[in-house]
Amino acid sequence: MTSKYAVILAAGQGTRMKSKLYKVLHPVCGKPMVDHVLTQIEKNDMDQIVTVIGHGADMVKDTLKERTNYVVQAQQLGTGHAVMQAESLLGDKDGMTLIACGDTPLFTAETFSELFQYHQSKGAVATVLTAHTEAPFGYGRIIRNDLGIVERIVEQKDATKDEAAVKEINTGVYCFNNRELFEALHKINNDNAQGEYYLTDLMEVFQKEGKVVAAYQMKDFEESMGVNDRVALANASKVMRLRINHTHMKNGVTIVDPENTYIDSDVEIGSDTVIEPGVSLKGNTKIGSECVIGSHSEIIDSSIGDHVNVTSSLIEGSVMHDNSDIGPYSHLRPQANIGQGAHIGNFVEVKKATIGENTKVGHLTYVGDATLGQEINVGCGTVFVNYDGINKHHTDVGDYSFIGSGSNVVAPVKLGDHAYVAAGSTITQDVKPHDMAIARGRQVNKDGYYDKYPVAKAAQKTADAKKNN
């Protein structure tokens, strides 16, 4: 089998992005653009991948890690010059080499595979991936002769009026015979408007040598979209988002409004789950089957079991087990673990806490640094007081306990199984199993106090005036 190699061009800074973040690292649906490119190339069983880095080299390495080899383009002298940097790693090898840009996140593994196959079938030394567009401005044009054979590729700034009218464009992706590629790179020059070494000039070199240059026109121009500024980034993100959503829908997920649902590329969703409008699912989130994710919920790097209902809530780095529910307007902060059948109601915040099976935390409550057992009822307005200004402290609450409304549970403290906390208590000491804790001031009633209060006299005067009228 013919060996397959790839060179990813990722050395540019991307000044038009007007950003401190290097262009190829800007995210599209939760993943840096260059990561999308590498991921799709990897699916073609490559023998070796080389990424050309320059600006932001260390950040690119931190992102892609050991999935690729690296070479550095210290000076930005064009695409041909960039590929030349890979000669030390690939130059003496037999096989096919794919060239792709790190700022084209929409290419698919299938398109790369088709390009490899077409290149082999034509016996070509070079094959350029092309596309047809009614708006070719800015792209290199594919110039063919009367027989339809590719003669050369002309960049926008070097194109004549007739050449600029051509609507078949260069996508910036190529397949080469590897040895021929690196031999020909030494034959090009920078005699052009940009003063750069164009990879596209190789086509004319090969033509003059009588070698076969082919062009494979892909079906979907949209896939070739490059990103050079924030407008293009938004457009690419929209295309990717709809692609992701359509894939989930084909796999049995109901997405009520695909154009207003935001799902990152690595998110997993089970069948018969319903995703309502305005939902954002980010990072390495996994959602089970037959869930309902309500409008405007946001779930980040979290695991959601089967039959879970999320209503207009924010979940970060947390776990919700089967048949649990949350919301509306609640927040699971990192390391929240919500047990099977547990209920987290409205305006509840949970942080670094475990909520046991079938436990209910109904509303207006904060649970931080705590472990709650099963079948517990936590009353409205309860606060788990976990921070003393310097350190965080932990609270344990046993199974089948009851915490009355308006209570403060001051850590570190332990409540045993079947413990009962009276409403309005501030608990600072352990409560033994089956005991009830009451920690509040005694109620004192002042007889007739209202009638002596100045505000009461003014209110009575107003009432008497209304009565007389």
Side-chain angles (χ1 to χ4, degrees):
M1 181 179 290
T2 304
S3 297
K4 290 184 290 187
Y5 311 104
V7 177
I8 300 174
L9 307 183
Q13 184 174 11
T15 55
R16 281 183 282 174
M17 297 295 288
K18 293 182 171 58
S19 174
K20 294 178 182 178
L21 183 65
Y22 298 102
K23 180 170 69 170
V24 298
L25 296 178
H26 277 267
V28 171
C29 295
K31 183 184 291 186
M33 290 190 285
V34 68
D35 195 342
H36 280 291
V37 176
L38 177 57
T39 297
Q40 297 305 312
I41 290 175
E42 286 174 324
K43 293 178 181 180
N44 280 277
D45 298 322
M46 308 301 293
D47 291 280
Q48 188 173 0
I49 301 172
V50 178
T51 300
V52 183
I53 54 179
H55 293 289
D58 289 339
M59 295 178 68
V60 175
K61 286 183 177 181
D62 288 343
T63 298
L64 304 182
K65 303 189 184 304
E66 297 178 0
R67 295 161 59 193
T68 173
N69 299 127
Y70 300 94
V71 293
V72 177
Q73 185 187 22
Q75 291 181 285
Q76 311 299 298
L77 301 178
T79 53
H81 179 261
V83 175
M84 179 63 75
Q85 309 313 304
E87 186 174 25
S88 60
L89 296 180
L90 299 178
D92 61 347
K93 296 183 177 182
D94 294 317
M96 301 180 291
T97 297
L98 176 75
I99 310 292
C101 297
D103 60 359
T104 52
L106 299 176
F107 282 113
T108 63
E110 292 74 20
T111 295
F112 291 144
S113 176
E114 290 168 3
L115 179 60
F116 275 127
Q117 292 172 24
Y118 187 85
H119 176 78
Q120 277 192 299
S121 70
K122 294 297 180 181
V125 66
T127 303
V128 57
L129 182 65
T130 73
H132 179 88
T133 175
E134 294 299 320
F137 184 83
Y139 292 93
R141 307 304 202 279
I142 305 300
I143 307 302
R144 297 175 182 265
N145 63 20
D146 294 340
L147 300 176
I149 298 172
V150 177
E151 289 187 334
R152 64 190 186 280
I153 301 172
V154 180
E155 298 299 324
Q156 175 71 46
K157 292 184 178 181
D158 300 312
T160 65
K161 184 177 180 180
D162 289 341
E163 290 169 340
V166 173
K167 295 180 179 179
E168 184 180 13
I169 59 95
N170 175 22
T171 67
V173 175
Y174 313 87
C175 188
F176 291 96
N177 175 292
N178 187 69
R179 285 186 182 274
E180 297 272 11
L181 165 65
F182 288 101
E183 289 175 7
L185 282 171
H186 293 283
K187 301 175 184 178
I188 61 175
N189 58 54
N190 63 346
D191 184 18
N192 51 60
Q194 293 287 87
E196 295 183 348
Y197 295 91
Y198 291 152
L199 191 61
T200 52
D201 286 348
L202 293 180
M203 307 308 163
E204 196 167 356
V205 171
F206 291 138
Q207 283 287 359
K208 289 179 179 178
E209 294 177 351
K211 296 174 181 176
V212 177
V213 175
Y216 175 66
Q217 188 172 127
M218 59 192 294
K219 303 177 184 69
D220 184 5
F221 166 74
E222 207 170 48
E223 195 175 314
S224 69
M225 187 185 301
V227 174
N228 289 311
D229 57 28
R230 305 295 181 120
V231 175
L233 181 66
N235 291 335
S237 296
K238 181 177 180 180
V239 172
M240 180 70 77
R241 184 167 65 248
L242 289 174
R243 181 189 295 175
I244 291 169
N245 291 352
H246 289 168
T247 298
H248 285 298
M249 289 188 287
K250 289 178 181 178
N251 290 333
V253 177
T254 295
I255 300 179
V256 177
D257 186 357
E259 292 190 353
N260 291 290
T261 300
Y262 307 87
I263 303 176
D264 280 356
S265 57
D266 290 334
V267 172
E268 299 177 15
I269 308 175
S271 63
D272 290 319
T273 285
V274 177
I275 311 294
E276 295 184 348
V279 168
S280 293
L281 306 178
K282 299 179 178 180
N284 294 314
T285 290
K286 293 179 174 60
I287 296 177
S289 300
E290 300 183 60
C291 298
V292 176
I293 311 300
S295 296
H296 307 295
S297 294
E298 184 174 2
I299 304 176
I300 307 167
D301 293 326
S302 297
S303 177
I304 310 297
D306 298 333
H307 307 283
V308 173
N309 283 357
V310 177
T311 306
S312 302
S313 293
L314 171 59
I315 301 173
E316 305 174 87
S318 297
V319 177
M320 292 188 69
H321 293 278
D322 297 352
N323 299 297
S324 58
D325 67 273
I326 184 172
Y329 312 120
S330 287
H331 185 187
L332 298 186
R333 290 168 58 192
Q335 299 182 58
N337 192 321
I338 310 304
Q340 185 170 336
H343 167 66
I344 307 297
N346 56 292
F347 299 103
V348 174
E349 182 175 323
V350 181
K351 188 272 297 183
K352 199 177 180 180
T354 297
I355 309 297
E357 183 177 339
N358 295 325
T359 287
K360 296 177 176 58
V361 184
H363 31 235
L364 300 164
T365 291
Y366 171 70
V367 184
D369 294 278
T371 301
L372 279 62
Q374 62 180 343
E375 302 286 353
I376 296 169
N377 187 87
V378 179
C380 175
T382 295
V383 176
F384 283 73
V385 185
N386 58 329
Y387 185 48
D388 64 9
I390 300 175
N391 297 308
K392 299 289 181 70
H393 301 279
H394 197 81
T395 294
D396 289 292
V397 181
D399 299 341
Y400 301 99
S401 295
F402 181 94
I403 300 177
S405 297
S407 295
N408 296 309
V409 182
V410 183
V413 70
K414 293 184 179 180
L415 282 64
D417 294 345
H418 301 275
Y420 193 104
V421 174
S425 293
T426 297
I427 303 300
T428 59
Q429 299 178 22
D430 292 352
V431 181
K432 293 185 295 185
H434 295 270
D435 282 3
M436 180 176 73
I438 305 175
R440 61 191 183 204
R442 289 185 175 275
Q443 181 174 326
V444 177
N445 293 345
K446 302 291 186 179
D447 293 342
Y449 182 79
Y450 179 84
D451 296 333
K452 301 174 184 178
Y453 194 56
V455 172
K457 293 180 180 180
Q460 187 61 50
K461 184 177 180 180
T462 300
D464 290 342
K466 288 182 178 180
K467 185 177 180 180
N468 293 330
N469 290 334

